[in-house]
Amino acid sequence: MRKQFLFLFLALIVANTSQAQTRTTRIGYIDMEYILENVSDYKEATAQLELKAQKWKQEIESKK
């Protein structure tokens, strides 16, 4: 009984290992620049950020 259990356990481990080896790793790449260029909200947010950055630079220069 114990040998049968051990054999069954080892057989399951071997089957699972061989199944895991057949799976392939998939790697995908995303072109974020292309996506962000085509999103109008991103363009608006970038423009607003640039305006704020310019205002901050002017304030810093005036305080110097």
Side-chain angles (χ1 to χ4, degrees), residues 23-58:
R23 296 181 196 150
T24 59
T25 303
R26 295 182 182 187
I27 299 174
Y29 297 96
I30 299 173
D31 187 3
M32 288 301 296
E33 289 181 32
Y34 175 78
I35 293 171
L36 293 176
E37 285 175 359
N38 294 319
V39 176
S40 61
D41 291 338
Y42 175 75
K43 290 178 184 178
E44 291 174 19
T46 304
Q48 290 176 1
L49 181 62
E50 285 295 322
L51 287 174
K52 284 187 179 185
Q54 287 178 358
K55 288 179 183 178
W56 291 335
K57 287 179 185 178
Q58 289 174 355

mmCIF file of all heavy atoms in Angstrom, residues 23-58:
data_model
loop_
_atom_site.group_PDB
_atom_site.id
_atom_site.type_symbol
_atom_site.label_atom_id
_atom_site.label_comp_id
_atom_site.label_asym_id
_atom_site.label_seq_id
_atom_site.Cartn_x
_atom_site.Cartn_y
_atom_site.Cartn_z
ATOM 1 N N ARG A 23 4.532 24.798 -20.889
ATOM 2 C CA ARG A 23 3.986 26.154 -20.923
ATOM 3 C C ARG A 23 5.091 27.126 -21.293
ATOM 4 O O ARG A 23 6.212 27.019 -20.835
ATOM 5 C CB ARG A 23 3.419 26.541 -19.563
ATOM 6 C CG ARG A 23 2.251 25.697 -19.142
ATOM 7 C CD ARG A 23 1.729 26.148 -17.805
ATOM 8 N NE ARG A 23 0.870 25.113 -17.252
ATOM 9 C CZ ARG A 23 0.706 24.875 -15.984
ATOM 10 N NH1 ARG A 23 1.348 25.607 -15.089
ATOM 11 N NH2 ARG A 23 -0.090 23.930 -15.571
ATOM 12 N N THR A 24 4.749 28.084 -22.115
ATOM 13 C CA THR A 24 5.749 29.059 -22.530
ATOM 14 C C THR A 24 5.483 30.388 -21.840
ATOM 15 O O THR A 24 4.364 30.711 -21.494
ATOM 16 C CB THR A 24 5.713 29.268 -24.056
ATOM 17 O OG1 THR A 24 4.415 29.713 -24.422
ATOM 18 C CG2 THR A 24 6.052 27.992 -24.794
ATOM 19 N N THR A 25 6.531 31.129 -21.670
ATOM 20 C CA THR A 25 6.420 32.453 -21.087
ATOM 21 C C THR A 25 6.151 33.441 -22.202
ATOM 22 O O THR A 25 6.848 33.458 -23.210
ATOM 23 C CB THR A 25 7.727 32.836 -20.373
ATOM 24 O OG1 THR A 25 8.014 31.855 -19.396
ATOM 25 C CG2 THR A 25 7.614 34.187 -19.725
ATOM 26 N N ARG A 26 5.142 34.246 -22.003
ATOM 27 C CA ARG A 26 4.789 35.239 -23.011
ATOM 28 C C ARG A 26 5.216 36.607 -22.514
ATOM 29 O O ARG A 26 4.934 36.979 -21.381
ATOM 30 C CB ARG A 26 3.297 35.229 -23.278
ATOM 31 C CG ARG A 26 2.836 33.931 -23.891
ATOM 32 C CD ARG A 26 1.377 33.983 -24.182
ATOM 33 N NE ARG A 26 0.951 32.697 -24.728
ATOM 34 C CZ ARG A 26 -0.241 32.485 -25.209
ATOM 35 N NH1 ARG A 26 -1.131 33.450 -25.220
ATOM 36 N NH2 ARG A 26 -0.560 31.306 -25.686
ATOM 37 N N ILE A 27 5.872 37.327 -23.383
ATOM 38 C CA ILE A 27 6.335 38.669 -23.058
ATOM 39 C C ILE A 27 5.707 39.627 -24.052
ATOM 40 O O ILE A 27 5.746 39.404 -25.256
ATOM 41 C CB ILE A 27 7.870 38.762 -23.130
ATOM 42 C CG1 ILE A 27 8.486 37.802 -22.111
ATOM 43 C CG2 ILE A 27 8.327 40.187 -22.888
ATOM 44 C CD1 ILE A 27 9.979 37.719 -22.195
ATOM 45 N N GLY A 28 5.135 40.690 -23.548
ATOM 46 C CA GLY A 28 4.519 41.675 -24.419
ATOM 47 C C GLY A 28 5.122 43.041 -24.174
ATOM 48 O O GLY A 28 5.582 43.355 -23.080
ATOM 49 N N TYR A 29 5.132 43.845 -25.197
ATOM 50 C CA TYR A 29 5.653 45.202 -25.103
ATOM 51 C C TYR A 29 4.534 46.182 -25.433
ATOM 52 O O TYR A 29 3.736 45.951 -26.337
ATOM 53 C CB TYR A 29 6.818 45.409 -26.072
ATOM 54 C CG TYR A 29 8.001 44.533 -25.751
ATOM 55 C CD1 TYR A 29 8.179 43.327 -26.392
ATOM 56 C CD2 TYR A 29 8.915 44.917 -24.780
ATOM 57 C CE1 TYR A 29 9.252 42.513 -26.089
ATOM 58 C CE2 TYR A 29 9.992 44.113 -24.466
ATOM 59 C CZ TYR A 29 10.154 42.907 -25.129
ATOM 60 O OH TYR A 29 11.212 42.113 -24.810
ATOM 61 N N ILE A 30 4.506 47.280 -24.697
ATOM 62 C CA ILE A 30 3.493 48.305 -24.913
ATOM 63 C C ILE A 30 4.194 49.596 -25.286
ATOM 64 O O ILE A 30 5.124 50.017 -24.613
ATOM 65 C CB ILE A 30 2.656 48.515 -23.640
ATOM 66 C CG1 ILE A 30 1.939 47.229 -23.273
ATOM 67 C CG2 ILE A 30 1.661 49.652 -23.827
ATOM 68 C CD1 ILE A 30 1.222 47.292 -21.953
ATOM 69 N N ASP A 31 3.741 50.202 -26.356
ATOM 70 C CA ASP A 31 4.303 51.478 -26.791
ATOM 71 C C ASP A 31 3.506 52.590 -26.113
ATOM 72 O O ASP A 31 2.499 53.066 -26.636
ATOM 73 C CB ASP A 31 4.229 51.600 -28.307
ATOM 74 C CG ASP A 31 4.949 52.823 -28.832
ATOM 75 O OD1 ASP A 31 5.558 53.550 -28.022
ATOM 76 O OD2 ASP A 31 4.905 53.065 -30.051
ATOM 77 N N MET A 32 3.952 52.995 -24.918
ATOM 78 C CA MET A 32 3.226 53.998 -24.137
ATOM 79 C C MET A 32 3.228 55.361 -24.831
ATOM 80 O O MET A 32 2.263 56.109 -24.709
ATOM 81 C CB MET A 32 3.826 54.123 -22.738
ATOM 82 C CG MET A 32 3.521 52.939 -21.848
ATOM 83 S SD MET A 32 1.755 52.637 -21.587
ATOM 84 C CE MET A 32 1.281 54.125 -20.732
ATOM 85 N N GLU A 33 4.278 55.685 -25.528
ATOM 86 C CA GLU A 33 4.319 56.977 -26.221
ATOM 87 C C GLU A 33 3.196 57.067 -27.256
ATOM 88 O O GLU A 33 2.512 58.085 -27.348
ATOM 89 C CB GLU A 33 5.672 57.187 -26.894
ATOM 90 C CG GLU A 33 6.787 57.447 -25.913
ATOM 91 C CD GLU A 33 8.118 57.685 -26.610
ATOM 92 O OE1 GLU A 33 8.107 58.231 -27.727
ATOM 93 O OE2 GLU A 33 9.140 57.320 -26.027
ATOM 94 N N TYR A 34 3.011 56.013 -28.016
ATOM 95 C CA TYR A 34 1.953 55.999 -29.030
ATOM 96 C C TYR A 34 0.588 56.131 -28.375
ATOM 97 O O TYR A 34 -0.266 56.899 -28.837
ATOM 98 C CB TYR A 34 2.016 54.707 -29.848
ATOM 99 C CG TYR A 34 0.884 54.574 -30.833
ATOM 100 C CD1 TYR A 34 0.893 55.267 -32.035
ATOM 101 C CD2 TYR A 34 -0.203 53.756 -30.552
ATOM 102 C CE1 TYR A 34 -0.153 55.155 -32.936
ATOM 103 C CE2 TYR A 34 -1.257 53.633 -31.448
ATOM 104 C CZ TYR A 34 -1.216 54.331 -32.633
ATOM 105 O OH TYR A 34 -2.265 54.218 -33.510
ATOM 106 N N ILE A 35 0.376 55.398 -27.293
ATOM 107 C CA ILE A 35 -0.920 55.446 -26.616
ATOM 108 C C ILE A 35 -1.164 56.825 -26.041
ATOM 109 O O ILE A 35 -2.245 57.401 -26.212
ATOM 110 C CB ILE A 35 -0.976 54.374 -25.506
ATOM 111 C CG1 ILE A 35 -0.962 52.972 -26.136
ATOM 112 C CG2 ILE A 35 -2.218 54.548 -24.636
ATOM 113 C CD1 ILE A 35 -0.793 51.856 -25.148
ATOM 114 N N LEU A 36 -0.166 57.399 -25.366
ATOM 115 C CA LEU A 36 -0.352 58.701 -24.730
ATOM 116 C C LEU A 36 -0.493 59.831 -25.745
ATOM 117 O O LEU A 36 -1.173 60.819 -25.481
ATOM 118 C CB LEU A 36 0.793 58.976 -23.762
ATOM 119 C CG LEU A 36 0.824 58.056 -22.540
ATOM 120 C CD1 LEU A 36 2.052 58.354 -21.698
ATOM 121 C CD2 LEU A 36 -0.439 58.171 -21.717
ATOM 122 N N GLU A 37 0.144 59.692 -26.896
ATOM 123 C CA GLU A 37 -0.009 60.711 -27.931
ATOM 124 C C GLU A 37 -1.438 60.763 -28.457
ATOM 125 O O GLU A 37 -1.909 61.812 -28.899
ATOM 126 C CB GLU A 37 0.943 60.441 -29.095
ATOM 127 C CG GLU A 37 2.382 60.780 -28.795
ATOM 128 C CD GLU A 37 3.311 60.393 -29.935
ATOM 129 O OE1 GLU A 37 2.831 59.850 -30.948
ATOM 130 O OE2 GLU A 37 4.523 60.621 -29.790
ATOM 131 N N ASN A 38 -2.133 59.662 -28.405
ATOM 132 C CA ASN A 38 -3.486 59.590 -28.952
ATOM 133 C C ASN A 38 -4.579 59.793 -27.899
ATOM 134 O O ASN A 38 -5.760 59.663 -28.220
ATOM 135 C CB ASN A 38 -3.690 58.243 -29.654
ATOM 136 C CG ASN A 38 -2.796 58.135 -30.873
ATOM 137 O OD1 ASN A 38 -2.643 59.088 -31.609
ATOM 138 N ND2 ASN A 38 -2.200 56.983 -31.064
ATOM 139 N N VAL A 39 -4.205 60.119 -26.673
ATOM 140 C CA VAL A 39 -5.181 60.380 -25.614
ATOM 141 C C VAL A 39 -5.231 61.885 -25.377
ATOM 142 O O VAL A 39 -4.243 62.487 -24.966
ATOM 143 C CB VAL A 39 -4.802 59.630 -24.322
ATOM 144 C CG1 VAL A 39 -5.762 59.976 -23.201
ATOM 145 C CG2 VAL A 39 -4.792 58.133 -24.560
ATOM 146 N N SER A 40 -6.388 62.481 -25.643
ATOM 147 C CA SER A 40 -6.501 63.938 -25.535
ATOM 148 C C SER A 40 -6.375 64.418 -24.092
ATOM 149 O O SER A 40 -5.815 65.485 -23.837
ATOM 150 C CB SER A 40 -7.822 64.409 -26.136
ATOM 151 O OG SER A 40 -8.911 63.841 -25.430
ATOM 152 N N ASP A 41 -6.863 63.646 -23.130
ATOM 153 C CA ASP A 41 -6.764 64.046 -21.723
ATOM 154 C C ASP A 41 -5.303 64.150 -21.290
ATOM 155 O O ASP A 41 -4.943 65.033 -20.515
ATOM 156 C CB ASP A 41 -7.490 63.051 -20.822
ATOM 157 C CG ASP A 41 -8.997 63.094 -20.998
ATOM 158 O OD1 ASP A 41 -9.494 64.134 -21.484
ATOM 159 O OD2 ASP A 41 -9.667 62.106 -20.648
ATOM 160 N N TYR A 42 -4.483 63.253 -21.778
ATOM 161 C CA TYR A 42 -3.059 63.291 -21.438
ATOM 162 C C TYR A 42 -2.415 64.561 -21.993
ATOM 163 O O TYR A 42 -1.621 65.200 -21.321
ATOM 164 C CB TYR A 42 -2.350 62.055 -21.979
ATOM 165 C CG TYR A 42 -0.861 62.081 -21.759
ATOM 166 C CD1 TYR A 42 -0.317 61.842 -20.507
ATOM 167 C CD2 TYR A 42 0.016 62.353 -22.805
ATOM 168 C CE1 TYR A 42 1.044 61.874 -20.301
ATOM 169 C CE2 TYR A 42 1.379 62.385 -22.608
ATOM 170 C CZ TYR A 42 1.888 62.142 -21.354
ATOM 171 O OH TYR A 42 3.237 62.177 -21.147
ATOM 172 N N LYS A 43 -2.785 64.922 -23.206
ATOM 173 C CA LYS A 43 -2.226 66.133 -23.818
ATOM 174 C C LYS A 43 -2.622 67.374 -23.014
ATOM 175 O O LYS A 43 -1.787 68.252 -22.766
ATOM 176 C CB LYS A 43 -2.707 66.266 -25.267
ATOM 177 C CG LYS A 43 -2.119 65.242 -26.199
ATOM 178 C CD LYS A 43 -2.674 65.415 -27.602
ATOM 179 C CE LYS A 43 -2.168 64.345 -28.532
ATOM 180 N NZ LYS A 43 -2.731 64.466 -29.872
ATOM 181 N N GLU A 44 -3.877 67.431 -22.592
ATOM 182 C CA GLU A 44 -4.349 68.566 -21.799
ATOM 183 C C GLU A 44 -3.625 68.632 -20.450
ATOM 184 O O GLU A 44 -3.210 69.704 -20.012
ATOM 185 C CB GLU A 44 -5.857 68.461 -21.574
ATOM 186 C CG GLU A 44 -6.685 68.658 -22.826
ATOM 187 C CD GLU A 44 -8.159 68.398 -22.582
ATOM 188 O OE1 GLU A 44 -8.589 68.423 -21.405
ATOM 189 O OE2 GLU A 44 -8.876 68.152 -23.566
ATOM 190 N N ALA A 45 -3.473 67.507 -19.811
ATOM 191 C CA ALA A 45 -2.804 67.470 -18.516
ATOM 192 C C ALA A 45 -1.343 67.881 -18.648
ATOM 193 O O ALA A 45 -0.809 68.602 -17.795
ATOM 194 C CB ALA A 45 -2.909 66.076 -17.909
ATOM 195 N N THR A 46 -0.691 67.451 -19.713
ATOM 196 C CA THR A 46 0.707 67.814 -19.943
ATOM 197 C C THR A 46 0.837 69.316 -20.173
ATOM 198 O O THR A 46 1.757 69.954 -19.645
ATOM 199 C CB THR A 46 1.265 67.047 -21.156
ATOM 200 O OG1 THR A 46 1.097 65.657 -20.934
ATOM 201 C CG2 THR A 46 2.738 67.327 -21.354
ATOM 202 N N ALA A 47 -0.083 69.891 -20.913
ATOM 203 C CA ALA A 47 -0.053 71.330 -21.168
ATOM 204 C C ALA A 47 -0.271 72.114 -19.877
ATOM 205 O O ALA A 47 0.440 73.097 -19.611
ATOM 206 C CB ALA A 47 -1.119 71.701 -22.197
ATOM 207 N N GLN A 48 -1.198 71.671 -19.050
ATOM 208 C CA GLN A 48 -1.437 72.337 -17.775
ATOM 209 C C GLN A 48 -0.217 72.235 -16.865
ATOM 210 O O GLN A 48 0.140 73.196 -16.179
ATOM 211 C CB GLN A 48 -2.656 71.727 -17.072
ATOM 212 C CG GLN A 48 -3.961 72.052 -17.743
ATOM 213 C CD GLN A 48 -5.136 71.347 -17.073
ATOM 214 O OE1 GLN A 48 -4.965 70.622 -16.096
ATOM 215 N NE2 GLN A 48 -6.324 71.563 -17.615
ATOM 216 N N LEU A 49 0.411 71.101 -16.851
ATOM 217 C CA LEU A 49 1.609 70.914 -16.036
ATOM 218 C C LEU A 49 2.737 71.829 -16.500
ATOM 219 O O LEU A 49 3.449 72.421 -15.680
ATOM 220 C CB LEU A 49 2.057 69.453 -16.087
ATOM 221 C CG LEU A 49 3.289 69.098 -15.261
ATOM 222 C CD1 LEU A 49 3.032 69.353 -13.783
ATOM 223 C CD2 LEU A 49 3.676 67.655 -15.500
ATOM 224 N N GLU A 50 2.900 71.962 -17.802
ATOM 225 C CA GLU A 50 3.930 72.856 -18.336
ATOM 226 C C GLU A 50 3.670 74.309 -17.931
ATOM 227 O O GLU A 50 4.593 75.038 -17.578
ATOM 228 C CB GLU A 50 4.005 72.740 -19.862
ATOM 229 C CG GLU A 50 4.668 71.478 -20.352
ATOM 230 C CD GLU A 50 6.134 71.414 -19.957
ATOM 231 O OE1 GLU A 50 6.825 72.457 -19.981
ATOM 232 O OE2 GLU A 50 6.589 70.316 -19.598
ATOM 233 N N LEU A 51 2.412 74.733 -17.974
ATOM 234 C CA LEU A 51 2.062 76.101 -17.560
ATOM 235 C C LEU A 51 2.398 76.330 -16.090
ATOM 236 O O LEU A 51 2.970 77.361 -15.719
ATOM 237 C CB LEU A 51 0.581 76.376 -17.810
ATOM 238 C CG LEU A 51 0.162 76.564 -19.263
ATOM 239 C CD1 LEU A 51 -1.364 76.688 -19.362
ATOM 240 C CD2 LEU A 51 0.825 77.805 -19.838
ATOM 241 N N LYS A 52 2.049 75.366 -15.252
ATOM 242 C CA LYS A 52 2.348 75.500 -13.828
ATOM 243 C C LYS A 52 3.858 75.532 -13.597
ATOM 244 O O LYS A 52 4.354 76.307 -12.771
ATOM 245 C CB LYS A 52 1.720 74.355 -13.037
ATOM 246 C CG LYS A 52 0.236 74.503 -12.851
ATOM 247 C CD LYS A 52 -0.310 73.449 -11.929
ATOM 248 C CE LYS A 52 -1.804 73.639 -11.753
ATOM 249 N NZ LYS A 52 -2.378 72.727 -10.783
ATOM 250 N N ALA A 53 4.583 74.698 -14.298
ATOM 251 C CA ALA A 53 6.037 74.664 -14.139
ATOM 252 C C ALA A 53 6.656 75.996 -14.546
ATOM 253 O O ALA A 53 7.577 76.499 -13.879
ATOM 254 C CB ALA A 53 6.631 73.524 -14.965
ATOM 255 N N GLN A 54 6.159 76.589 -15.614
ATOM 256 C CA GLN A 54 6.671 77.901 -16.040
ATOM 257 C C GLN A 54 6.360 78.976 -15.006
ATOM 258 O O GLN A 54 7.198 79.826 -14.704
ATOM 259 C CB GLN A 54 6.077 78.289 -17.398
ATOM 260 C CG GLN A 54 6.643 77.497 -18.545
ATOM 261 C CD GLN A 54 5.996 77.871 -19.872
ATOM 262 O OE1 GLN A 54 5.104 78.706 -19.919
ATOM 263 N NE2 GLN A 54 6.456 77.231 -20.945
ATOM 264 N N LYS A 55 5.151 78.942 -14.419
ATOM 265 C CA LYS A 55 4.797 79.903 -13.379
ATOM 266 C C LYS A 55 5.708 79.752 -12.164
ATOM 267 O O LYS A 55 6.156 80.739 -11.583
ATOM 268 C CB LYS A 55 3.338 79.731 -12.954
ATOM 269 C CG LYS A 55 2.341 80.214 -13.977
ATOM 270 C CD LYS A 55 0.914 80.001 -13.501
ATOM 271 C CE LYS A 55 -0.089 80.407 -14.553
ATOM 272 N NZ LYS A 55 -1.475 80.158 -14.126
ATOM 273 N N TRP A 56 5.982 78.511 -11.778
ATOM 274 C CA TRP A 56 6.853 78.265 -10.629
ATOM 275 C C TRP A 56 8.267 78.771 -10.909
ATOM 276 O O TRP A 56 8.911 79.347 -10.029
ATOM 277 C CB TRP A 56 6.881 76.795 -10.276
ATOM 278 C CG TRP A 56 5.590 76.271 -9.724
ATOM 279 C CD1 TRP A 56 4.616 76.973 -9.081
ATOM 280 C CD2 TRP A 56 5.135 74.920 -9.782
ATOM 281 N NE1 TRP A 56 3.574 76.156 -8.723
ATOM 282 C CE2 TRP A 56 3.863 74.872 -9.137
ATOM 283 C CE3 TRP A 56 5.652 73.747 -10.297
ATOM 284 C CZ2 TRP A 56 3.133 73.707 -9.008
ATOM 285 C CZ3 TRP A 56 4.929 72.584 -10.155
ATOM 286 C CH2 TRP A 56 3.677 72.561 -9.528
ATOM 287 N N LYS A 57 8.733 78.544 -12.122
ATOM 288 C CA LYS A 57 10.071 79.030 -12.485
ATOM 289 C C LYS A 57 10.124 80.559 -12.415
ATOM 290 O O LYS A 57 11.110 81.127 -11.941
ATOM 291 C CB LYS A 57 10.458 78.554 -13.891
ATOM 292 C CG LYS A 57 10.801 77.094 -13.968
ATOM 293 C CD LYS A 57 11.138 76.682 -15.386
ATOM 294 C CE LYS A 57 11.359 75.193 -15.501
ATOM 295 N NZ LYS A 57 11.629 74.778 -16.877
ATOM 296 N N GLN A 58 9.068 81.211 -12.888
ATOM 297 C CA GLN A 58 9.020 82.677 -12.839
ATOM 298 C C GLN A 58 8.987 83.171 -11.391
ATOM 299 O O GLN A 58 9.660 84.145 -11.044
ATOM 300 C CB GLN A 58 7.797 83.202 -13.597
ATOM 301 C CG GLN A 58 7.902 83.047 -15.092
ATOM 302 C CD GLN A 58 6.621 83.435 -15.818
ATOM 303 O OE1 GLN A 58 5.603 83.738 -15.179
ATOM 304 N NE2 GLN A 58 6.666 83.404 -17.152
#
